[in-house]
Amino acid sequence: MTGPLTGVRVIDLTTVISGPLATMTLGDQGADVIKVEQPSGGDFSRHVATRRADMSASFLNNNRNKRSVTLDLKTDDGLNAVQTMAAQSDVFIQNFRPGVAERLGLGYNALSALNPKLIYVSIAGFGHTGPLAQNPVYDPLIQAISALTTVQAGSDEDRPRLVRTILPDKLTGIQTSQAITAALFSRERSGEGQHIQISMLDVIIAFLWSSDMNGHTFVGDEMEREEAQSYIDLIYEVEDGFVSIAVMQDKQWQGFTKAIIRPDLLEDPRFATPELREINRDARLEAIQDAVRGFAAADLIKLLDAENVPNAPVLSRTQMRQHPQVAANGIVVETLHPVAGMLRQARHPSNFSKTPAAIRRPAPTLGEHTQEVLAEFGLPVSGA
């Protein structure tokens, strides 16, 4: 069996994380992803830290199921090769700074004239127009301008904090892959390609709005100042580590007080209803912390599970990959890379019953497939 995107050809000119993660997702789902890189060094992520046999973990973890072609886009031969490939492909994706692709002759208008059915994707940082569109951008800057750092802080009065993973980059990759498949579906019905423009800033603000912008939803009744939300503090210290406990409903509050044998908390008028527990959240959090501090994590989890109280252990990265639920899901897999050796990675997260995703090929070495791919398109190798 083959993946759901088998037969789809993608020309990928993206680098670093957001674009490569998007195209790896398509590759995991069966697409033929051709990664076009500059001969002098290729994707920047090839050169970052955490490496083995001259292959970086970052590149390996965002570029499997792709073929690498090296082309010098500063030459006519290189540009002609990319244009020829785009004319015979389904998707073209780039994350150059706005305007660069157009100056190279690789913009949407130029390539769609060669291939009207092409799905053309432009990924930007701040946006494609506007005062910041031409500024250099990295993930922390998007976290800052999108208000994600103040959401992470908990309130407008606390020091802003970065989320300690490159969330804007990763979410942009996921959103981009979804947009591409939606455009491919639309093309199946209309026969027409289109231009998808997406920015990291757009993605994160939309992401926040579903849960973190309630105080700015009703026009004319906006919150002037954000206060801390209780969910950011639902990690509690116990005797030998930390446990997350999420008590929302009345039955869960009742189960919690029963599990730890604290009927006084159930009788406390400050915690009588979900609304009161939210109004008095600081007192509630302090009460829960005081109540569970003396428990061992495993003992507390067993008691909470018996009363169907939502909880989970707080794990390190090493503990996570060894957890029985992770093993049961089959999330972490091992594959042999011909250069970097045995790798441990997360599989594609979606399970398709009839068209399963798969790791079909390892992340390529720079230019590994140049001759093979150029021959497929009828191009001379001298075009590299």
Side-chain angles (χ1 to χ4, degrees):
M1 291 187 289
T2 54
L5 295 180
T6 296
V8 172
R9 178 182 281 162
V10 180
I11 306 302
D12 176 13
L13 271 67
T14 65
T15 63
V16 191
I17 299 293
S18 61
L21 177 58
T23 53
M24 187 182 77
T25 299
L26 304 178
D28 285 355
Q29 295 174 353
D32 177 18
V33 179
I34 299 171
K35 185 177 181 71
V36 178
E37 303 181 74
Q38 285 290 112
S40 56
D43 190 328
F44 173 77
S45 68
R46 288 185 179 275
H47 309 287
V48 297
T50 311
R51 328 173 46 78
R52 187 164 68 190
D54 204 34
M55 298 288 289
S56 77
S58 177
F59 184 83
L60 292 166
N61 289 333
N62 291 282
N63 290 282
R64 68 187 179 216
N65 286 330
K66 302 179 187 181
R67 296 189 285 170
S68 172
V69 172
T70 51
L71 293 170
D72 187 351
L73 300 186
K74 296 178 182 179
T75 68
D76 290 340
D77 285 345
L79 290 172
N80 177 67
V82 173
Q83 291 167 347
T84 299
M85 290 192 291
Q88 302 176 46
S89 298
D90 300 286
V91 179
F92 180 92
I93 178 170
Q94 52 86 8
N95 61 352
F96 297 127
R97 198 173 297 185
V100 171
E102 286 73 18
R103 290 195 294 273
L104 289 171
L106 299 176
Y108 171 66
N109 290 336
L111 296 189
S112 64
L114 299 173
N115 180 0
K117 292 187 175 183
L118 186 67
I119 306 301
Y120 186 104
V121 187
S122 303
I123 302 176
F126 292 117
H128 294 85
T129 60
L132 301 181
Q134 294 299 320
N135 287 15
V137 61
Y138 291 101
D139 191 280
L141 308 184
I142 299 298
Q143 292 200 37
I145 198 170
S146 68
L148 178 56
T149 51
T150 55
V151 170
Q152 185 69 7
S155 78
D156 289 350
E157 305 304 315
D158 293 323
R159 188 184 191 280
R161 299 178 183 177
L162 289 172
V163 177
R164 300 300 293 177
T165 186
I166 50 173
L167 194 66
D169 269 308
K170 294 176 182 178
L171 283 175
T172 300
I174 294 168
Q175 185 69 57
T176 300
S177 66
Q178 188 279 327
I180 290 170
T181 53
L184 288 169
F185 178 76
S186 175
R187 192 185 68 177
E188 285 297 302
R189 294 187 165 183
S190 69
E192 298 178 343
Q194 61 181 299
H195 188 188
I196 301 170
Q197 291 184 311
I198 191 165
S199 82
M200 294 166 68
L201 182 60
D202 291 16
V203 168
I204 296 305
I205 291 177
F207 173 77
L208 291 177
W209 220 282
S210 67
S211 64
D212 304 293
M213 297 295 292
N214 292 344
H216 299 266
T217 296
F218 298 112
V219 177
D221 292 312
E222 296 85 358
M223 279 183 148
E224 292 185 5
R225 185 182 61 148
E226 300 289 344
E227 297 181 354
Q229 299 296 309
S230 59
Y231 62 79
I232 69 169
D233 296 316
L234 300 183
I235 293 178
Y236 302 95
E237 185 176 359
V238 294
E239 187 178 72
D240 55 350
F242 298 88
V243 173
S244 180
I245 306 169
V247 178
M248 305 296 177
Q249 303 174 25
D250 283 334
K251 64 180 180 180
Q252 294 164 351
W253 180 245
Q254 294 163 8
F256 172 75
T257 59
K258 181 179 178 182
I260 62 169
I261 316 177
R262 287 291 302 271
D264 57 304
L265 293 178
L266 187 60
E267 297 164 1
D268 193 315
R270 297 173 299 173
F271 311 140
T273 67
E275 181 180 12
L276 286 170
R277 289 195 293 275
E278 177 60 21
I279 291 171
N280 298 295
R281 58 180 174 267
D282 290 340
R284 171 173 54 87
L285 294 170
E286 290 175 5
I288 293 174
Q289 177 61 86
D290 290 343
V292 303
R293 194 182 302 275
F295 286 88
D299 294 339
L300 178 61
I301 288 171
K302 185 176 180 179
L303 292 169
L304 296 175
D305 285 346
E307 298 299 332
N308 204 28
V309 178
N311 75 88
V314 176
L315 304 179
S316 68
R317 280 168 272 201
T318 297
Q319 292 169 328
M320 173 273 287
R321 63 180 176 80
Q322 296 172 345
H323 193 275
Q325 186 61 56
V326 174
N329 289 7
I331 301 171
V332 180
V333 297
E334 294 185 0
T335 58
L336 181 62
H337 191 282
V339 175
M342 191 62 71
L343 304 180
R344 180 185 294 111
Q345 296 179 316
R347 63 161 172 78
H348 184 75
S350 299
N351 288 309
F352 297 87
S353 65
K354 295 185 178 180
T355 56
I359 300 177
R360 296 172 288 108
R361 61 171 74 238
T365 56
L366 181 60
E368 178 180 348
H369 306 95
T370 300
Q371 295 188 35
E372 170 188 311
V373 171
L374 292 182
E376 289 177 10
F377 285 95
L379 290 163
V381 175
S382 60

